Amino acid sequence: MTSPEVAADRRVTFRLKAPKAAEVAVNASVGPTVARPPGSFKDQPGQWTMPMRKDADGVWSLTVGPLEPDVYRYNFVLDGVRVLDLANRNINAGGDVPWSYFDVPGAPPRFDETRDVAHGSVQIRTYRVSGRGILHKVAIYVPPGYEQSPERRYPVLYLFQGGGDAEEGWVRLGRVPQIQENLLAAGKAKPMLVVMPIGDDNGDATRPEAVAAFNHEILNDVIPLVERNNRVVAGPGGRAVAGRANGDT
């Protein structure tokens, strides 16, 4: 059984075999303009819950689209319980809610699709959060040629997740490596490290105490870790900061 199946016309079919289930839906980031079946509803910004239908073999399915070329996240709601699509190995784990995800390719390829260009790598480093006694991880993208240029130091972009996301969110769904490498190949960017810390604080990340704890962790743990273990331009002159805001679509 294939799920999700992306057709040539960019229509996408989700499938889940659950013969004993009473009700199954798919919760997906399909956007506001795609036709949805009756009974669909938006349960959070950018996410629509859409009912599926069961066939005689106990396979629930739903076809939506055509979808615009992009990366989409989704999970199933099986009798009220969110579950991953076990037929799909692409999973963005960690954070508040794990997601399955899939690509709708573009023609020509999207700016964030994998292309035949020089590729870098992603390091995952573990550190102890000072004053809290817990372990966190940070994802660090290093550009092509980093290992072959031991004398070179690179600027750093500290790229923050949305609240509740894991350190790999920008790598898997945000496609940071692909974007960086395509820009480098086109001569539209300079080589840099991209540091992606965890954005999950086990609760509302907008709470003042959560914001203060995040700031403390970045300044006292993440930046020193990067400057101690990677060849970077140390100090404020070698750093930049970016992040994302949630949208309501």
Side-chain angles (χ1 to χ4, degrees):
M1 184 179 66
T2 301
S3 178
E5 181 179 359
V6 182
D9 63 359
R10 294 187 275 112
R11 295 182 184 274
V12 178
T13 300
F14 303 94
R15 297 184 179 91
L16 176 67
K17 187 164 187 177
K20 295 183 180 180
E23 185 176 59
V24 178
V26 61
N27 179 265
S29 58
V30 297
T33 61
V34 174
R36 296 172 295 273
S40 301
F41 62 92
K42 183 170 65 175
D43 72 341
Q44 59 177 297
Q47 293 290 136
W48 287 83
T49 295
M50 300 169 286
M52 304 174 72
R53 302 186 69 174
K54 184 170 64 171
D55 66 14
D57 296 322
V59 175
W60 298 77
S61 65
L62 172 68
T63 299
V64 296
L67 301 182
E68 292 299 314
D70 207 340
V71 183
Y72 294 87
R73 66 179 188 177
Y74 71 101
N75 52 35
F76 293 123
V77 184
L78 176 64
D79 287 339
V81 179
R82 291 183 183 270
V83 297
L84 295 170
D85 186 352
L86 298 183
N88 181 3
R89 66 179 182 178
N90 294 317
I91 295 173
N92 184 45
D96 287 345
V97 180
W99 297 96
S100 299
Y101 65 91
F102 65 94
D103 270 85
V104 176
R110 305 186 322 263
F111 74 99
D112 60 345
E113 285 188 59
T114 300
R115 302 183 185 182
D116 188 12
V117 298
H119 300 292
S121 60
V122 177
Q123 304 173 356
I124 302 294
R125 293 191 181 274
T126 302
Y127 61 94
R128 187 173 297 277
V129 181
S130 58
R132 298 180 66 183
I134 59 176
L135 297 176
H136 274 176
K137 294 181 180 180
V138 59
I140 305 172
Y141 169 77
V142 297
Y146 177 85
E147 289 83 1
Q148 291 76 36
S149 306
E151 75 290 343
R152 184 172 181 177
R153 292 189 175 272
Y154 295 80
V156 185
L157 172 63
Y158 288 87
L159 184 58
F160 298 157
Q161 317 281 356
D165 210 345
E167 68 281 348
E168 294 185 32
W170 276 118
V171 176
R172 294 181 180 273
L173 290 174
R175 299 303 172 90
V176 161
Q178 290 90 335
I179 294 171
Q180 285 293 105
E181 289 154 5
N182 293 339
L183 290 174
L184 287 169
K188 296 181 179 180
K190 293 184 177 181
M192 68 183 76
L193 273 68
V194 183
V195 176
M196 297 157 278
I198 190 170
D200 183 12
D201 198 64
N202 295 321
D204 185 357
T206 65
R207 292 176 293 118
E209 57 270 29
V211 174
F214 180 78
N215 292 340
H216 175 90
E217 187 171 336
I218 295 298
L219 295 173
N220 293 278
D221 301 314
V222 175
I223 292 177
L225 176 77
V226 172
E227 296 188 349
R228 187 169 59 247
N229 292 282
N230 295 88
R231 298 190 318 279
V232 300
V233 179
R239 305 178 194 136
V241 175
R244 75 174 183 87
N246 291 328
D248 189 4
T249 58

